DNA sequence: TTGAAAGCGATACCAG
DNA sequence: CTGGTATCGCTTTCAA
């Protein structure tokens, strides 16, 4: 009485068998409407609630998927998880959420938890997609998974991202075309973001192709949002630059604050470009340019892809979403997109 | 062989019983080091991974908690979930995530899913905390839960929030003190956010107390981020106002964009104030004022509170976090706080 | 210190 | 169309 009613209780109440109760829940079509009505009434009367854990134990599929992101404090990941959640909800899947806090060491633990839960598949954003023990484990255990935002070098791993190196290359090249000869890249730490490294590689290649030898790099620790000091040398010190290429929109926003703090007007005195999984944008004097790839949709895509893998209808494959440079205010777009109600 | 190893396999492999295996997993202290070593070796050899669903079925506690937020696309909720996740992780709890998309109709379904999962407790941000069937259900079934950001009128419901009405009152009052006589409130739809209504109430009270009869209200649909048209009447039309009080930081950001689009400089031509679960801030000419209550910590607090409820060590109680008006750039602070690495 | 065995709640096979 | 029953993997007495 005090404890929750089970199928057994419903069966007793309705004078039918537990097997029949199970049928009206799972295969209503296999049961006469009359019978179904009796059972349904009993369920309602008892306030019955199927215990999904019983089902999970019995079935091979758990209808559960695991998600691992660095942090939800970054809107890029948060909105992608929102997309995953939406798509999961539409397909009767339950989402278990974990985060690594950008710490590669914590990834394995988080994934272990997920696997102990016997998730049907995983969607992950890892610090480093290559040479990652988590990836090896998943591959070995043949658990379906798709990487989100990571761009692994192996092509037979399921992944959804933009071309990180190329997008940075394009942005730097565009800034160079506008006349900039002295550029700095603002990036996250490579250990906790392979995207950063890939984008930096693209940045360097662009400068090489333009015959610019001097490459500046400002690396920012995760969580660091005050770029006033880190950028001092470049904005008003000896290494004066005229343009910044930022690894992410969030860094670009922070960089803009720093520019203003140093008395520079953006984008008049300095140009700032931010790259994201969602957007490749540059503040290029005198107009800003950007292109937005909604991360929410990327999340939905990732789950759709994962569902295909789980059903065995699809093969793992790396998907590169197109990126564009176009006119518009990248940062403004970003902000506007994020602007929702509390 | 093809299927995952179970405790039975480990027992067989180690020549011990399944009960002993269970013991080394759950009560290592109750087992001789020698025995434990054998079992551990067998587990490693077999690549054993406990199936949490078996345990969940047997135990009354599932070590799982359910979370429901309107959306993760709003950084306020996303960071709070991040805080929950962090705290859960630190306590060996698994988080199941759902979202309502701001649709009150979807709340019950989401909570049902959570309850079917037999979560130990819930953390929820509801459209309306009062007269909510979800709350009634949870109360009736005696499932521990804590509301986050909601400020229910009943005091015996666990909740963590700021004083919505009072914070809006304070902000409006501060703006009036600066000389503003014509103010408008920018708020979300009341049906999907009781916070909005409570804040609007505070706004009205402030105007009443100041003897200002004219109260302007601009209500914005969820997802709407372009306030140029909605604010046209107030920013350059017949109803010219000199200050905007926004229900959330995100709305404030959108409002600022709209001001600029209308050729107004912020905060010279117009003042904008944003209220959030995290912050009560106003852009008050000539200086911005704000105070930040980190939502991430609110999430952590919520989970800590919930754990107390689950253990029966605490009683449900409504907690109001203090809010402040102080100097600083509310919007800038917000952005800086959000600025992390991809 | 260890093991046998009884469930936890649901699914699904196989008879009736 | 319906019901009995074995089973999923694990926890937890109760004996040995």
């Amino acid at each position: 009485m005090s404890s929750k009613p089970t199928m057994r209780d419903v069966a007793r109440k309705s004078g039918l068998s537990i097997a029949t109760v199970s049928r009206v829940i799972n295969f209503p079509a296999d049961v006469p409407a009359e019978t179904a009505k009796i059972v349904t009434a009993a369920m309602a009367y008892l306030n019955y609630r199927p215990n999904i854990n019983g089902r999970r134990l019995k079935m091979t599929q758990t209808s559960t998927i695991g998600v691992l992101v660095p942090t939800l404090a970054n809107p890029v990941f948060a909105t992608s998880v929102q997309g995953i959640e939406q798509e999961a909800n539409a397909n009767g899947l339950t989402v278990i959420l974990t985060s690594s806090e950008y710490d590669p060491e914590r990834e394995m633990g988080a994934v272990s938890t997920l696997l102990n839960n016997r998730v049907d598949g995983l969607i992950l954003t890892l610090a480093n997609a290559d040479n990652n023990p988590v990836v090896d484990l998943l591959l070995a255990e043949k658990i379906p998974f798709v990487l989100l935002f990571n761009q692994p070098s192996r092509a037979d791993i399921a992944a959804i991202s933009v071309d990180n190196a190329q997008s940075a290359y394009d942005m730097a090249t565009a800034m160079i075309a506008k006349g900039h000869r002295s550029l700095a890249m603002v990036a996250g730490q490579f250990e906790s973001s392979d995207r950063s490294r890939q984008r930096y590689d693209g940045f360097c290649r662009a400068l090489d192709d333009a015959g610019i030898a001097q490459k500046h790099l400002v690396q920012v620790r995760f969580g660091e949002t005050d770029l006033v000091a880190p950028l001092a040398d470049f904005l008003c010190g000896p290494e004066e630059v005229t343009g910044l290429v930022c690894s992410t929109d969030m860094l670009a926003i922070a960089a803009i604050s720093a520019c203003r703090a140093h008395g520079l007007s953006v984008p008049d005195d300095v140009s700032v470009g931010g790259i994201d999984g969602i957007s490749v944008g540059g503040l290029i004097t005198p107009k800003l340019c950007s292109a937005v790839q909604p991360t929410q949709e990327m999340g939905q895509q990732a789950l759709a892809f994962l569902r295909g893998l789980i059903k065995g209808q699809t093969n793992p494959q790396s998907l590169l979403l197109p990126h564009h440079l176009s006119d518009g205010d990248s940062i403004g777009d970003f902000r506007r997109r994020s602007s929702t109600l509390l």
Side-chain angles (χ1 to χ4, degrees), chain A:
Chain A
M1 201 83 298
S2 73
S3 153
K4 300 212 159 308
T6 75
M7 258 174 115
R8 186 192 219 73
D9 299 316
V10 176
R12 223 190 317 262
K13 180 77 193 167
S14 57
L16 290 164
S17 79
I18 174 178
T20 301
V21 176
S22 176
R23 269 186 217 105
V24 343
I25 293 177
N26 299 300
F27 310 95
D30 292 5
V31 136
E34 219 22 55
T35 310
K37 224 169 61 181
I38 297 176
V39 173
T40 309
M43 297 199 299
Y45 178 82
L46 293 173
N47 245 298
Y48 171 70
R49 205 174 264 302
N51 184 335
I52 289 200
N53 297 310
R55 166 194 308 225
R56 284 211 183 95
L57 191 52
K58 184 68 184 170
M59 312 233 298
T60 35
Q61 297 245 340
T62 58
S63 293
T64 298
I65 70 124
V67 172
L68 171 64
V69 291
T71 179
L72 287 180
N74 185 333
V76 167
F77 300 127
T79 52
S80 75
V81 173
Q82 171 64 18
I84 293 171
E85 220 295 302
Q86 237 174 262
E87 192 73 6
N89 187 46
N91 290 285
L93 296 173
T94 294
V95 172
I96 298 184
L97 177 74
T98 59
S99 69
S100 67
E101 321 265 339
Y102 280 104
D103 181 356
E105 311 271 316
R106 299 177 73 154
E107 293 176 345
M108 185 56 94
V111 169
S112 272
T113 302
L114 264 16
L115 293 184
N116 291 352
N117 275 277
R118 296 298 189 270
V119 294
D120 292 337
L122 316 181
I123 297 177
L124 318 161
T125 300
L126 300 169
N128 278 285
D130 292 331
N131 289 13
N132 190 314
V134 165
V135 170
D136 294 340
L137 172 65
L138 263 18
L139 250 20
E141 304 223 1
K142 297 196 207 308
I143 317 262
F145 69 100
V146 6
L147 302 181
L148 189 51
F149 300 116
N150 289 115
Q151 187 185 359
S153 51
R154 290 179 50 174
D156 60 341
I157 289 183
I160 296 188
S161 71
V162 293
D163 189 331
N164 289 307
Q166 191 59 43
S167 55
Y169 179 92
D170 291 349
M171 181 177 320
T173 299
M175 294 177 97
I176 292 166
K178 293 282 183 182
H180 294 279
R181 302 299 294 173
S182 181
L183 296 168
M185 172 121 195
V186 182
Q189 301 209 117
F190 296 155
E191 313 86 77
S192 53
S193 171
D194 53 6
R195 285 83 68 205
S196 270
R197 163 159 285 293
Q198 290 161 346
R199 290 165 190 185
Y200 180 62
D201 288 345
F203 171 80
C204 288
R205 191 158 51 81
L207 268 56
D208 283 339
D209 286 2
I212 301 175
Q214 190 64 266
K215 302 178 189 80
H216 300 295
L217 171 65
V218 181
Q219 273 195 292
V220 181
R221 234 188 26 256
F222 156 69
E224 189 56 68
T225 56
D226 183 355
L227 299 186
V228 175
L231 288 179
D233 280 357
F234 300 102
L235 295 181
C236 57
E239 313 273 16
E240 209 155 334
V241 303
T242 61
L244 297 174
V245 174
C246 302
S247 183
T248 71
D249 278 350
M250 301 310 285
L251 282 176
I253 291 173
I256 290 171
S257 292
C259 291
R260 297 205 169 114
H262 280 292
L264 299 171
S265 84
V266 178
D268 286 341
D269 300 336
V270 64
S271 291
V272 179
I275 303 170
D276 245 329
I278 52 161
S279 71
V280 179
L283 303 175
I284 296 183
T285 315
K287 254 205 128 186
L288 315 180
C289 80
S290 82
V292 174
Q293 259 279 0
T295 44
Q296 188 157 334
E297 284 179 22
M298 285 180 73
Q300 295 178 314
Q301 277 182 50
L303 185 43
F305 192 2
L306 181 62
R307 295 213 309 140
L309 291 177
I310 291 172
K311 289 193 213 147
Q313 296 173 343
T314 327
N315 285 323
Q317 180 192 355
S318 215
L319 299 184
L320 281 192
L321 268 29
H323 65 274
H324 321 271
L325 289 181
S326 62
D327 283 344
D329 175 348
S330 146
I331 305 305
D333 277 352
F334 178 79
R335 254 186 282 148
R336 237 170 282 130
R337 297 184 55 78
S338 301
S339 177
T340 51
L341 312 183
L342 171 56

